[in-house]
PDB file of all heavy atoms in Angstrom:
ATOM      1  N   SER B 326     156.440  97.358 220.004  1.00 89.00           N
ATOM      2  CA  SER B 326     155.916  97.254 221.362  1.00 89.00           C
ATOM      3  C   SER B 326     154.406  97.425 221.386  1.00 89.00           C
ATOM      4  O   SER B 326     153.732  96.922 222.275  1.00 89.00           O
ATOM      5  CB  SER B 326     156.573  98.295 222.270  1.00 89.00           C
ATOM      6  OG  SER B 326     156.191  99.583 221.857  1.00 89.00           O
ATOM      7  N   GLY B 327     153.860  98.107 220.366  1.00 78.00           N
ATOM      8  CA  GLY B 327     152.444  98.437 220.473  1.00 78.00           C
ATOM      9  C   GLY B 327     151.496  97.717 219.532  1.00 78.00           C
ATOM     10  O   GLY B 327     150.380  97.375 219.900  1.00 78.00           O
ATOM     11  N   GLY B 328     151.924  97.449 218.319  1.00 68.00           N
ATOM     12  CA  GLY B 328     150.920  97.139 217.310  1.00 68.00           C
ATOM     13  C   GLY B 328     150.886  95.711 216.826  1.00 68.00           C
ATOM     14  O   GLY B 328     151.472  94.810 217.430  1.00 68.00           O
ATOM     15  N   ASP B 329     150.203  95.519 215.739  1.00 77.00           N
ATOM     16  CA  ASP B 329     150.066  94.198 215.133  1.00 77.00           C
ATOM     17  C   ASP B 329     151.302  93.836 214.307  1.00 77.00           C
ATOM     18  O   ASP B 329     151.611  92.675 214.112  1.00 77.00           O
ATOM     19  CB  ASP B 329     148.853  94.174 214.193  1.00 77.00           C
ATOM     20  CG  ASP B 329     147.598  94.595 214.926  1.00 77.00           C
ATOM     21  OD1 ASP B 329     147.494  94.296 216.132  1.00 77.00           O
ATOM     22  OD2 ASP B 329     146.741  95.237 214.292  1.00 77.00           O
ATOM     23  N   VAL B 330     151.956  94.871 213.829  1.00 85.00           N
ATOM     24  CA  VAL B 330     153.089  94.669 212.943  1.00 85.00           C
ATOM     25  C   VAL B 330     154.372  94.911 213.731  1.00 85.00           C
ATOM     26  O   VAL B 330     154.435  95.814 214.554  1.00 85.00           O
ATOM     27  CB  VAL B 330     153.045  95.685 211.770  1.00 85.00           C
ATOM     28  CG1 VAL B 330     154.154  95.401 210.784  1.00 85.00           C
ATOM     29  CG2 VAL B 330     151.694  95.679 211.098  1.00 85.00           C
ATOM     30  N   CYS B 331     155.376  94.096 213.478  1.00 91.00           N
ATOM     31  CA  CYS B 331     156.679  94.354 214.086  1.00 91.00           C
ATOM     32  C   CYS B 331     157.731  94.176 212.995  1.00 91.00           C
ATOM     33  O   CYS B 331     157.768  93.151 212.325  1.00 91.00           O
ATOM     34  CB  CYS B 331     156.935  93.391 215.249  1.00 91.00           C
ATOM     35  SG  CYS B 331     158.514  93.700 216.060  1.00 91.00           S
ATOM     36  N   ILE B 332     158.520  95.229 212.783  1.00 93.00           N
ATOM     37  CA  ILE B 332     159.547  95.153 211.748  1.00 93.00           C
ATOM     38  C   ILE B 332     160.913  95.126 212.416  1.00 93.00           C
ATOM     39  O   ILE B 332     161.281  96.058 213.132  1.00 93.00           O
ATOM     40  CB  ILE B 332     159.461  96.368 210.796  1.00 93.00           C
ATOM     41  CG1 ILE B 332     158.096  96.403 210.106  1.00 93.00           C
ATOM     42  CG2 ILE B 332     160.581  96.317 209.762  1.00 93.00           C
ATOM     43  CD1 ILE B 332     157.872  97.634 209.253  1.00 93.00           C
ATOM     44  N   ASN B 333     161.626  94.053 212.206  1.00 91.00           N
ATOM     45  CA  ASN B 333     162.960  93.947 212.775  1.00 91.00           C
ATOM     46  C   ASN B 333     163.937  94.707 211.882  1.00 91.00           C
ATOM     47  O   ASN B 333     164.035  94.442 210.687  1.00 91.00           O
ATOM     48  CB  ASN B 333     163.354  92.465 212.874  1.00 91.00           C
ATOM     49  CG  ASN B 333     164.599  92.295 213.703  1.00 91.00           C
ATOM     50  OD1 ASN B 333     165.494  93.137 213.688  1.00 91.00           O
ATOM     51  ND2 ASN B 333     164.656  91.196 214.457  1.00 91.00           N
ATOM     52  N   GLU B 334     164.615  95.632 212.490  1.00 92.00           N
ATOM     53  CA  GLU B 334     165.534  96.506 211.746  1.00 92.00           C
ATOM     54  C   GLU B 334     166.495  95.712 210.844  1.00 92.00           C
ATOM     55  O   GLU B 334     166.791  96.128 209.727  1.00 92.00           O
ATOM     56  CB  GLU B 334     166.327  97.324 212.762  1.00 92.00           C
ATOM     57  CG  GLU B 334     167.221  98.366 212.156  1.00 92.00           C
ATOM     58  CD  GLU B 334     167.913  99.210 213.244  1.00 92.00           C
ATOM     59  OE1 GLU B 334     167.316  99.451 214.318  1.00 92.00           O
ATOM     60  OE2 GLU B 334     169.063  99.625 213.013  1.00 92.00           O
ATOM     61  N   GLU B 335     166.929  94.569 211.351  1.00 92.00           N
ATOM     62  CA  GLU B 335     167.911  93.786 210.576  1.00 92.00           C
ATOM     63  C   GLU B 335     167.306  93.118 209.339  1.00 92.00           C
ATOM     64  O   GLU B 335     168.030  92.689 208.438  1.00 92.00           O
ATOM     65  CB  GLU B 335     168.565  92.728 211.467  1.00 92.00           C
ATOM     66  CG  GLU B 335     169.580  93.360 212.420  1.00 92.00           C
ATOM     67  CD  GLU B 335     169.559  92.723 213.803  1.00 92.00           C
ATOM     68  OE1 GLU B 335     169.423  91.482 213.873  1.00 92.00           O
ATOM     69  OE2 GLU B 335     169.643  93.464 214.794  1.00 92.00           O
ATOM     70  N   ASN B 336     165.994  93.023 209.334  1.00 91.00           N
ATOM     71  CA  ASN B 336     165.345  92.415 208.173  1.00 91.00           C
ATOM     72  C   ASN B 336     165.033  93.423 207.059  1.00 91.00           C
ATOM     73  O   ASN B 336     164.543  93.044 205.991  1.00 91.00           O
ATOM     74  CB  ASN B 336     164.040  91.730 208.593  1.00 91.00           C
ATOM     75  CG  ASN B 336     164.306  90.579 209.546  1.00 91.00           C
ATOM     76  OD1 ASN B 336     165.411  90.031 209.556  1.00 91.00           O
ATOM     77  ND2 ASN B 336     163.314  90.224 210.350  1.00 91.00           N
ATOM     78  N   LEU B 337     165.275  94.689 207.331  1.00 95.00           N
ATOM     79  CA  LEU B 337     164.984  95.695 206.308  1.00 95.00           C
ATOM     80  C   LEU B 337     165.983  95.561 205.159  1.00 95.00           C
ATOM     81  O   LEU B 337     167.150  95.268 205.372  1.00 95.00           O
ATOM     82  CB  LEU B 337     165.085  97.104 206.903  1.00 95.00           C
ATOM     83  CG  LEU B 337     163.922  97.561 207.785  1.00 95.00           C
ATOM     84  CD1 LEU B 337     164.234  98.930 208.402  1.00 95.00           C
ATOM     85  CD2 LEU B 337     162.632  97.655 206.980  1.00 95.00           C
ATOM     86  N   PRO B 338     165.527  95.803 203.941  1.00 94.00           N
ATOM     87  CA  PRO B 338     166.452  95.741 202.804  1.00 94.00           C
ATOM     88  C   PRO B 338     167.479  96.878 202.885  1.00 94.00           C
ATOM     89  O   PRO B 338     167.277  97.866 203.594  1.00 94.00           O
ATOM     90  CB  PRO B 338     165.540  95.920 201.585  1.00 94.00           C
ATOM     91  CG  PRO B 338     164.291  96.528 202.092  1.00 94.00           C
ATOM     92  CD  PRO B 338     164.144  96.115 203.517  1.00 94.00           C
ATOM     93  N   ASP B 339     168.561  96.702 202.150  1.00 95.00           N
ATOM     94  CA  ASP B 339     169.665  97.668 202.175  1.00 95.00           C
ATOM     95  C   ASP B 339     169.260  99.097 201.830  1.00 95.00           C
ATOM     96  O   ASP B 339     169.889 100.041 202.290  1.00 95.00           O
ATOM     97  CB  ASP B 339     170.726  97.249 201.131  1.00 95.00           C
ATOM     98  CG  ASP B 339     171.591  96.130 201.673  1.00 95.00           C
ATOM     99  OD1 ASP B 339     171.469  95.817 202.874  1.00 95.00           O
ATOM    100  OD2 ASP B 339     172.386  95.560 200.892  1.00 95.00           O
ATOM    101  N   PHE B 340     168.241  99.226 201.011  1.00 96.00           N
ATOM    102  CA  PHE B 340     167.895 100.587 200.561  1.00 96.00           C
ATOM    103  C   PHE B 340     167.046 101.373 201.572  1.00 96.00           C
ATOM    104  O   PHE B 340     166.623 102.493 201.287  1.00 96.00           O
ATOM    105  CB  PHE B 340     167.242 100.571 199.165  1.00 96.00           C
ATOM    106  CG  PHE B 340     166.037  99.670 199.050  1.00 96.00           C
ATOM    107  CD1 PHE B 340     164.785 100.116 199.415  1.00 96.00           C
ATOM    108  CD2 PHE B 340     166.189  98.366 198.580  1.00 96.00           C
ATOM    109  CE1 PHE B 340     163.679  99.306 199.301  1.00 96.00           C
ATOM    110  CE2 PHE B 340     165.075  97.530 198.460  1.00 96.00           C
ATOM    111  CZ  PHE B 340     163.821  97.998 198.829  1.00 96.00           C
ATOM    112  N   ILE B 341     166.801 100.775 202.743  1.00 97.00           N
ATOM    113  CA  ILE B 341     166.166 101.535 203.837  1.00 97.00           C
ATOM    114  C   ILE B 341     167.224 101.768 204.911  1.00 97.00           C
ATOM    115  O   ILE B 341     167.725 100.823 205.517  1.00 97.00           O
ATOM    116  CB  ILE B 341     164.995 100.759 204.486  1.00 97.00           C
ATOM    117  CG1 ILE B 341     164.031 100.181 203.452  1.00 97.00           C
ATOM    118  CG2 ILE B 341     164.268 101.627 205.508  1.00 97.00           C
ATOM    119  CD1 ILE B 341     163.223 101.180 202.709  1.00 97.00           C
ATOM    120  N   GLU B 342     167.529 103.014 205.166  1.00 98.00           N
ATOM    121  CA  GLU B 342     168.524 103.338 206.186  1.00 98.00           C
ATOM    122  C   GLU B 342     167.811 103.713 207.483  1.00 98.00           C
ATOM    123  O   GLU B 342     166.878 104.521 207.475  1.00 98.00           O
ATOM    124  CB  GLU B 342     169.365 104.516 205.685  1.00 98.00           C
ATOM    125  CG  GLU B 342     170.505 104.895 206.593  1.00 98.00           C
ATOM    126  CD  GLU B 342     171.164 106.222 206.169  1.00 98.00           C
ATOM    127  OE1 GLU B 342     170.853 106.700 205.052  1.00 98.00           O
ATOM    128  OE2 GLU B 342     171.950 106.752 206.945  1.00 98.00           O
ATOM    129  N   VAL B 343     168.247 103.132 208.594  1.00 98.00           N
ATOM    130  CA  VAL B 343     167.621 103.463 209.880  1.00 98.00           C
ATOM    131  C   VAL B 343     168.432 104.553 210.564  1.00 98.00           C
ATOM    132  O   VAL B 343     169.663 104.467 210.648  1.00 98.00           O
ATOM    133  CB  VAL B 343     167.511 102.208 210.769  1.00 98.00           C
ATOM    134  CG1 VAL B 343     166.928 102.569 212.127  1.00 98.00           C
ATOM    135  CG2 VAL B 343     166.631 101.159 210.091  1.00 98.00           C
ATOM    136  N   VAL B 344     167.738 105.603 211.020  1.00 97.00           N
ATOM    137  CA  VAL B 344     168.412 106.689 211.736  1.00 97.00           C
ATOM    138  C   VAL B 344     167.911 106.692 213.188  1.00 97.00           C
ATOM    139  O   VAL B 344     166.780 106.297 213.456  1.00 97.00           O
ATOM    140  CB  VAL B 344     168.151 108.070 211.075  1.00 97.00           C
ATOM    141  CG1 VAL B 344     168.783 108.130 209.683  1.00 97.00           C
ATOM    142  CG2 VAL B 344     166.664 108.391 210.998  1.00 97.00           C
ATOM    143  N   PRO B 345     168.752 107.126 214.126  1.00 95.00           N
ATOM    144  CA  PRO B 345     168.376 107.029 215.548  1.00 95.00           C
ATOM    145  C   PRO B 345     167.086 107.790 215.870  1.00 95.00           C
ATOM    146  O   PRO B 345     166.208 107.278 216.561  1.00 95.00           O
ATOM    147  CB  PRO B 345     169.566 107.651 216.287  1.00 95.00           C
ATOM    148  CG  PRO B 345     170.708 107.594 215.324  1.00 95.00           C
ATOM    149  CD  PRO B 345     170.104 107.661 213.952  1.00 95.00           C
ATOM    150  N   ALA B 346     166.969 109.012 215.341  1.00 95.00           N
ATOM    151  CA  ALA B 346     165.782 109.821 215.654  1.00 95.00           C
ATOM    152  C   ALA B 346     165.371 110.607 214.425  1.00 95.00           C
ATOM    153  O   ALA B 346     166.139 111.429 213.918  1.00 95.00           O
ATOM    154  CB  ALA B 346     166.069 110.759 216.818  1.00 95.00           C
ATOM    155  N   GLY B 347     164.172 110.357 213.959  1.00 98.00           N
ATOM    156  CA  GLY B 347     163.718 110.937 212.697  1.00 98.00           C
ATOM    157  C   GLY B 347     163.673 112.454 212.719  1.00 98.00           C
ATOM    158  O   GLY B 347     164.044 113.107 211.733  1.00 98.00           O
TER     159      GLY B 347
END
Side-chain angles (χ1 to χ4, degrees):
Chain B
S326 66
D329 304 327
V330 185
C331 182
I332 300 175
N333 191 326
E334 186 176 327
E335 285 141 40
N336 296 337
L337 284 175
D339 281 351
F340 55 85
I341 312 291
E342 184 190 349
V343 177
V344 294

